[in-house]
Amino acid sequence: MRKNGSRSISLREYRLLDLFIFTLVIVGFNLLAHYAPVLFPDGALFTFTLTLPIILLVMIRWGWQSVFIAVIDGAIYCLLNNFDWQIYLILILGNCFSMLLLLLVKIMDKQKITGKIYFSVLFVVLGWLLIVLGRAVVAEIVGIGFVNCILSFYGLPDLLSLAVAVILILVFRRLDGMFEDQKHYLIRKDKERKELARRDEFGDEPIEIDEESLSILNKYEDEL
């Protein structure tokens, strides 16, 4: 317990809460996208999904745990639309192909990906291509066909989803701690908190003055 009565939580609890929140977001958006044509029959002609940006966001924040988002998103979409088992496999396993990006994360380091705009955009585009490829490969295995999957699942709506994903990731990377490894973020915030506490206890940090500046100040004091 802290002095003010609040309870600190462990990293595991924080991670579970974070994953739970993003799961609610992806489930909620799928429900909204599914029932929107019913509630708003004269609404937009094109739709998009948040599958890609949420998977990538969680991947940067926690790593392999983003696979849970990939599986849940594919499953809830199929469940809402009463798809056959083949489509379940295509969407769920296809989403999981995005986990191959963990190899890129391992090679490049998360801070490089999140620190540069062009690396962030490349991260999104590669994620989209992996999901496209993954779904098409699974479709070929279950007998629907590689090309048929491409033609059925991908077109203007999915290009719109890609564009939305790029925009959202670029927005997220500007929010403190949002598009950042959460272990790194928590360590950084703890250091900032300790530094602030040290300043509160001892006052402002001492200012380093070189010898030349010090001699000028001494000369000025002598003249006074």
Side-chain angles (χ1 to χ4, degrees):
M1 295 290 290
R2 296 177 180 174
K3 292 182 179 181
N4 60 5
S6 63
R7 186 180 75 88
S8 59
I9 63 175
S10 66
L11 178 63
R12 180 176 178 274
E13 290 173 325
Y14 176 72
R15 180 172 58 241
L16 288 174
L17 177 61
D18 200 59
L19 292 172
F20 178 71
I21 291 172
F22 282 109
T23 299
L24 288 181
V25 170
I26 203 70
V27 171
F29 188 85
N30 271 286
L31 289 171
L32 179 62
H34 179 74
Y35 291 108
V38 178
L39 299 175
F40 308 100
D42 297 325
L45 295 176
F46 302 108
T47 60
F48 60 90
T49 72
L50 293 183
T51 302
L52 181 59
I54 298 299
I55 289 175
L56 299 183
L57 190 62
V58 175
M59 186 180 294
I60 289 295
R61 291 171 73 91
W62 297 112
W64 68 267
Q65 286 90 343
S66 54
V67 70
F68 297 122
I69 302 297
V71 171
I72 291 170
D73 175 79
I76 193 69
Y77 184 78
C78 291
L79 184 64
L80 288 171
N81 290 279
N82 296 315
F83 286 142
D84 294 332
W85 64 270
Q86 294 96 331
I87 307 300
Y88 271 86
L89 291 178
I90 290 171
L91 293 182
I92 293 175
L93 296 181
N95 285 352
C96 289
F97 264 64
S98 61
M99 296 302 104
L100 292 174
L101 277 177
L102 290 171
L103 297 175
L104 178 66
V105 170
K106 188 71 174 179
I107 294 171
M108 289 188 61
D109 188 75
K110 292 180 181 179
Q111 288 180 275
K112 287 184 180 180
I113 295 173
T114 61
K116 300 291 185 181
I117 291 178
Y118 47 85
F119 281 147
S120 297
V121 173
L122 177 63
F123 188 62
V124 177
V125 173
L126 288 177
W128 181 78
L129 289 174
L130 283 172
I131 291 177
V132 171
L133 177 63
R135 290 176 178 178
V137 168
V138 176
E140 180 68 24
I141 293 173
V142 299
I144 292 179
F146 189 96
V147 176
N148 286 337
C149 178
I150 297 293
L151 295 177
S152 299
F153 284 100
Y154 298 97
L156 184 57
D158 211 69
L159 291 176
L160 179 59
S161 295
L162 173 60
V164 170
V166 170
I167 293 171
L168 287 177
I169 292 299
L170 292 180
V171 171
F172 289 150
R173 66 185 297 276
R174 296 182 64 87
L175 303 177
D176 184 38
M178 191 68 174
F179 192 53
E180 182 178 357
D181 183 287
Q182 290 303 283
K183 292 181 182 178
H184 178 271
Y185 170 71
L186 293 173
I187 292 172
R188 177 170 64 82
K189 297 303 289 187
D190 185 60
K191 288 181 179 178
E192 292 176 0
R193 180 184 59 79
K194 290 179 179 178
E195 177 65 19
L196 182 60
R198 189 182 71 83
R199 292 186 182 183
D200 288 341
E201 183 177 355
F202 297 104
D204 293 335
E205 289 185 294
I207 301 175
E208 294 185 0
I209 303 178
D210 56 39
E211 292 183 3
E212 182 180 356
S213 299
L214 185 60
S215 64
I216 294 175
L217 288 173
N218 290 333
K219 181 179 178 181
Y220 178 73
E221 289 180 354
D222 292 340
E223 290 177 353
L224 291 177

